[in-house]
Amino acid sequence: MGDTYAGKRRGRQREADRNDARLFQAAREVFAEHGWDAPVSEIARRAGIGMGSLYRRYPSKELLVQRMRIAGMEQLVAQARTALAEEPDPWAALVRFFRDALADQGTGGPLLPLVGGRLPATDEVLTAAEQLRAALDALVDGAHWAGVLRADFTSADIPLLLEHLTPRIPVTGERATALHLRYLDLALAGLRTPDPGQPTALHGTAPQWAELRDLWNAPES
Amino acid sequence: MGDTYAGKRRGRQREADRNDARLFQAAREVFAEHGWDAPVSEIARRAGIGMGSLYRRYPSKELLVQRMRIAGMEQLVAQARTALAEEPDPWAALVRFFRDALADQGTGGPLLPLVGGRLPATDEVLTAAEQLRAALDALVDGAHWAGVLRADFTSADIPLLLEHLTPRIPVTGERATALHLRYLDLALAGLRTPDPGQPTALHGTAPQWAELRDLWNAPES
DNA sequence: ACCTATCGGAGCGGAGCACTCCGCTCAAAA
DNA sequence: TTTTGAGCGGAGTGCTCCGCTCCGATAGGT
C-alpha cells in the first residue's frame, strides 16, 4: 500500500516505482495460479521486467512470497473492515466480505495466506495473522450477536472455508470466479442459523486459530 | 475391482498380485496428496516395491495416472449407485453419496477425476465419464423429481462441487476428512430447494458436461 | 541343483529452476 | 554535447530432482 509518498521521483526512479507495482500485481497472479511452484522467471515475464530488477527488490523467492502472504492477509483485513463499515446489517456484512474475498481471488490474488505451510513464521506474519483474527472476530461476533449466523461456526472457520471455496482448477479468469461464487452461494445458506427443529451440528470440531497457525507456517527449525 | 479371479496363483505370481494391489493403493494416496507432481519413486516406496516392478505394470507415469483417474471415476459411479440403491429417500441418497465420496477422498483416493487437464482423453476415459454422467444424472433427477434439490443445480455441478470441497490443504488423514465434511454440511443446506419467498438463483451459469470434458482433458494434440 | 520369471534400486540423462553477472540504457550532471 | 552511473534486462550457471532403464540379486517351480 502507500509505503512511499510517490510524489516527485523522476526518470529511472519513476520507472522503478512502476516496476514495483507491476511486480507486485504479477506476483499475486502467478502465485495464485501456481502456488509456491510458480517460477520466478514467469513473474518477471508477466510483470514485463527483467530478473535483475526483480531480484534487486526481493533478494530471494522466499522473501517475495512472505511479502505476498502478508499482503494477502492485510487485504482480507481491509475487506472485513470495509464490509463491516459499509453494511449495517451483520448478515449482509458477512456475505459482502465472502463475495469480495472470492472475487479478488478470481482476479488473481493469493489472498489465501497459505503457501502451504512451507515458510517459517516471521513477526510480521504473526502480526498480520493477529489482525486478521481480530477483523474476522468482529464480523463473526456481530453476526452471532444478531443470531443470524449458526453458533458452531467460528472465525477460524473462515480462512478454511475460503480455502475450500477456491481450489486450484484448470480454469482462470471470470469463469473461475463465477464458479467460486456459485458454490459460495450454497455455503452461505448453510451459514444461517438453522431452524430449532433440527440441531444438525457441523461435522468435526471447530478449528482454532492455533491450528491455522500450525497449518500456515513451517515447523520451526 | 475383481478384474482377476484371484484364485490359485502361487509363488511369484502371488507376490505380483500383492504388488499390484499395494501399488494401486499407494498410487491413489500419493496422487491424492501431490497431484500430477507426485514422484513415481514415492509411489514405489510407499507400496514397498521397486521401480522395476512398478514400471513393468505401468510402462509410463502417464498410463498410471490414466488408470488412476478412470478408477476414480468408476468409484464415484459405484458410490452413486450404492447410495441410490440403499437409500430410498432421494435426499438421503444425495447426502449419502456426497459423504461417501468425501470420506473416500480423505483416506486418500484421487477420486477427483481431475489431474489438471494435463492428459489427453482416451476412449476409456470418455466411457467412464459417460457412465459417471449417467449415474449422477440418476441421483440428481431423483432429487429434482422429489422437489428437494434446488432446480438450478445440475449433475455437472457435482464434480465441481466435490473439487471445491476437497482442496489441497497441508493436513492429511482424519482431520482433513473431518474438515471436508464440515464444509460439506454447509453446502448441503444450500442444496435444498429454497423457500419460494426468495428466488436467489445461484451465481454464474450452470456448468455443462462438455465444459467438464474440456477441463479434465488436455487440448488435443 | 538348475532355470528363469520376477524383483529392487542405483544410476543415467535431461528438464527446469533459483539466482548471478554483466553489458546496455538513458536521465541528469558537467 | 559529453560524461556518468543508477538502474535495467536477460542469457547463462550450477544444481536439484525426476522419469525411466538396466542389471545383478532373489526365490518359486521342477
Side-chain angles (χ1 to χ4, degrees):
Chain A
M1 319 315 147
D3 53 1
T4 59
Y5 39 94
K8 285 280 91 52
R9 293 160 66 87
R10 284 171 303 159
R12 268 284 152 83
Q13 292 189 325
R14 202 183 190 83
E15 183 178 359
D17 290 344
R18 268 203 315 275
N19 282 350
D20 221 8
R22 283 191 192 176
L23 181 55
F24 190 87
Q25 178 61 21
R28 275 179 77 82
E29 293 180 14
V30 176
F31 280 126
E33 289 173 25
H34 300 26
W36 169 264
D37 294 334
V40 175
S41 58
E42 167 67 12
I43 297 175
R45 198 188 59 74
R46 204 177 297 197
I49 70 175
M51 296 287 292
S53 306
L54 191 160
Y55 269 88
R56 191 169 317 100
R57 319 260 162 213
Y58 300 96
S60 75
K61 181 180 185 176
E62 177 166 332
L63 285 176
L64 177 57
V65 171
Q66 292 282 40
R67 167 88 191 271
M68 287 301 125
R69 64 169 180 161
I70 291 165
M73 286 194 259
E74 286 172 346
Q75 179 158 4
L76 281 184
V77 170
Q79 284 168 331
R81 288 181 179 156
T82 300
L84 216 43
E86 298 189 358
E87 305 284 346
D89 175 56
W91 177 255
L94 203 61
V95 172
R96 161 78 175 270
F97 167 76
F98 275 114
R99 297 239 161 93
D100 283 358
L102 250 54
D104 169 65
Q105 147 74 25
T107 63
L111 51 63
L112 292 317
L114 317 182
V115 193
R118 220 174 307 238
L119 297 183
T122 65
D123 284 352
E124 254 188 321
V125 169
L126 293 175
T127 301
E130 200 48 52
Q131 286 182 305
L132 180 59
R133 177 193 175 132
L136 297 183
D137 268 343
L139 261 184
V140 165
D141 287 349
H144 274 156
W145 186 255
V148 292
L149 175 63
R150 61 181 311 147
D152 52 358
F153 187 86
T154 74
S155 66
D157 272 308
I158 291 184
L160 282 168
L161 178 55
L162 284 176
E163 189 75 2
H164 278 70
L165 291 173
T166 53
R168 202 98 86 245
I169 56 177
V171 158
T172 54
E174 291 186 18
R175 183 54 175 158
T177 303
L179 288 172
H180 297 332
L181 289 172
R182 183 173 179 84
Y183 302 119
L184 169 63
D185 285 346
L186 297 180
L188 285 175
L191 287 180
R192 301 257 6 182
T193 304
D195 293 338
Q198 309 277 10
T200 61
L202 294 173
H203 265 86
T205 59
Q208 306 296 130
W209 279 89
E211 186 179 358
L212 291 183
R213 205 186 48 235
D214 296 344
L215 191 147
W216 285 342
N217 304 128
E220 61 202 291
S221 58
Chain B
M1 324 313 143
D3 53 1
T4 60
Y5 41 95
K8 287 277 91 53
R9 292 160 67 88
R10 286 173 301 161
R12 267 282 151 83
Q13 292 189 324
R14 203 184 189 82
E15 182 178 0
D17 290 344
R18 270 202 315 276
N19 281 351
D20 220 7
R22 284 191 192 174
L23 182 55
F24 189 87
Q25 178 61 22
R28 273 179 78 81
E29 292 179 16
V30 177
F31 280 126
E33 288 172 25
H34 300 23
W36 170 264
D37 294 334
V40 174
S41 58
E42 167 68 14
I43 297 175
R45 198 188 60 73
R46 204 176 298 196
I49 70 174
M51 296 287 293
S53 306
L54 191 160
Y55 269 87
R56 191 167 320 100
R57 319 262 162 210
Y58 299 96
S60 75
K61 180 179 185 178
E62 178 167 330
L63 285 177
L64 177 57
V65 172
Q66 291 283 40
R67 168 88 191 271
M68 287 301 125
R69 66 171 178 157
I70 289 166
M73 286 194 259
E74 285 172 347
Q75 179 157 4
L76 281 184
V77 170
Q79 285 168 332
R81 288 180 180 158
T82 299
L84 216 42
E86 298 189 359
E87 305 284 346
D89 176 57
W91 177 255
L94 204 62
V95 171
R96 161 80 175 271
F97 167 75
F98 274 114
R99 297 239 160 93
D100 283 358
L102 250 55
D104 169 65
Q105 147 74 25
T107 63
L111 52 64
L112 292 318
L114 316 182
V115 193
R118 219 174 306 238
L119 296 183
T122 66
D123 284 352
E124 255 189 321
V125 169
L126 293 176
T127 301
E130 199 49 50
Q131 286 182 306
L132 180 60
R133 177 194 174 133
L136 297 183
D137 269 342
L139 261 184
V140 164
D141 288 349
H144 275 156
W145 187 255
V148 290
L149 175 63
R150 60 181 311 146
D152 52 358
F153 187 85
T154 75
S155 66
D157 272 308
I158 291 184
L160 282 168
L161 179 55
L162 284 176
E163 189 76 1
H164 278 71
L165 291 173
T166 52
R168 204 97 88 243
I169 58 176
V171 158
T172 54
E174 291 186 19
R175 183 54 175 159
T177 303
L179 288 172
H180 297 333
L181 289 172
R182 184 173 178 84
Y183 302 119
L184 168 64
D185 284 347
L186 298 180
L188 285 176
L191 287 180
R192 300 256 9 178
T193 303
D195 293 338
Q198 309 275 8
T200 60
L202 292 173
H203 265 87
T205 60
Q208 307 295 132
W209 280 89
E211 184 178 0
L212 290 184
R213 207 186 47 235
D214 296 345
L215 191 147
W216 283 343
N217 304 128
E220 59 203 291
S221 55

